[in-house]
Amino acid sequence: MKPLFFKFFITFCVLLSFAGCKQERPAIAQPQASQILIDSTLHPADSIDTFIQPYRSRLNAVLDAPLSYAPKHITKTEGQWNTPMGNLMADLLLDRANAVARMRGEQIADMALFNFGGIRSSISKGPVSERTAYEIMPFENGLVVVGMPGRAIKKMVGFLTTASRPHPVSGIEIVLEADGSLKSTRIQGQPIDDERIYYVATSDYLMGGGDRMDFFADRVSISDTGYKIRNAMVDYFKTLDTLKAETDNRFIQLDTL
């Protein structure tokens, strides 16, 4: 009898422990929400503003420290085939890409190409700062050098001559006839050789086919400079006391006879 008694006793204890562990089914609370209108009547919390003020002051001091000087307003709206702002952007990409190439002992870039739409601001007359670079280039695009055969460069030229906007270039000269047909193209002063590999400094966005620049699909090599284009701008500004940006003869159309 004793073994049977103990068996029933143990079973009872186990069932009692399960009953003690049983939890009531939780009640689901009804969600509540309210709309907060963000307008001029909403004021910042003084405690938060006081906390971030030292960081804000330091950031503004860095962003607004003069790096160079613009003797006049520089925009991308002057000129039909090339513009002051566009030329400045393309020139600095070529300059900075080659600064990295020389430091690494790598292939020097022959030319540079940027996109008109990637320039998001102009440069006002006066001091040029890091904030200027952020205003012009608010994106995180990187600077790359792409190796392309001459026949792919000719596709690029065809794209540029039919584009509705003056995409910035440097290191290349394109001349159109009065009727808009192509007259000549030279890279670093020499005609394009279909079989030669040319090295183009550009953004990783364009290299990936952005802005319909599909000709970059014909690339044979890619070298990442490790530079964000915005940082390349900042370093370029530091090398110049005064910025020089003009329209010139790098991309022109001959006058009608």
Side-chain angles (χ1 to χ4, degrees), residues 152-164:
I153 296 293
K154 288 184 176 179
K155 291 182 183 179
M156 175 193 297
V157 173
F159 171 85
L160 294 173
T161 58
T162 57
S164 59

Side-chain angles (χ1 to χ4, degrees), residues 172-189:
I172 185 172
E173 298 175 359
I174 303 172
V175 179
L176 303 181
E177 298 282 9
D179 62 3
S181 60
L182 181 64
K183 176 179 175 61
S184 65
T185 308
R186 292 178 178 273
I187 296 179
Q188 296 297 330

Side-chain angles (χ1 to χ4, degrees), residues 21-191:
C21 294
K22 185 178 180 180
Q23 297 181 350
E24 295 183 2
R25 187 175 182 177
I28 299 176
Q30 292 295 323
Q32 297 182 359
S34 61
Q35 187 178 37
I36 300 176
L37 183 64
I38 300 178
D39 58 14
S40 59
T41 63
L42 188 65
H43 300 290
D46 291 340
S47 59
I48 296 177
D49 192 62
T50 300
F51 177 78
I52 67 173
Q53 180 56 40
Y55 303 96
R56 180 193 297 123
S57 297
R58 173 58 181 165
L59 181 61
N60 287 334
V62 171
L63 289 177
D64 294 328
L67 304 177
S68 186
Y69 179 80
K72 65 177 183 177
H73 190 57
I74 303 173
T75 76
K76 66 175 185 178
T77 58
E78 301 173 36
Q80 179 182 2
W81 296 102
N82 68 91
T83 71
M85 189 68 223
N87 292 347
L88 176 65
M89 281 297 299
D91 288 347
L92 73 86
L93 292 185
L94 186 59
D95 178 90
R96 291 295 89 195
N98 284 341
V100 172
R102 293 186 184 96
M103 180 179 63
R104 295 177 177 175
E106 296 179 349
Q107 175 64 49
I108 297 297
D110 299 291
M111 61 166 290
L113 171 65
F114 198 56
N115 59 321
F116 181 86
I119 302 172
R120 291 308 177 100
S121 183
S122 57
I123 297 179
S124 299
K125 177 181 178 180
V128 177
S129 66
E130 190 166 336
R131 188 185 298 276
T132 307
Y134 273 87
E135 292 170 347
I136 296 169
M137 186 64 191
F139 313 110
E140 294 299 311
N141 298 138
L143 175 59
V144 296
V145 177
V146 183
M148 301 175 65
R151 55 185 178 276
I153 296 293
K154 288 184 176 179
K155 291 182 183 179
M156 175 193 297
V157 173
F159 171 85
L160 294 173
T161 58
T162 57
S164 59
R165 298 182 292 181
H167 295 297
V169 295
S170 181
I172 185 172
E173 298 175 359
I174 303 172
V175 179
L176 303 181
E177 298 282 9
D179 62 3
S181 60
L182 181 64
K183 176 179 175 61
S184 65
T185 308
R186 292 178 178 273
I187 296 179
Q188 296 297 330
Q190 299 297 319

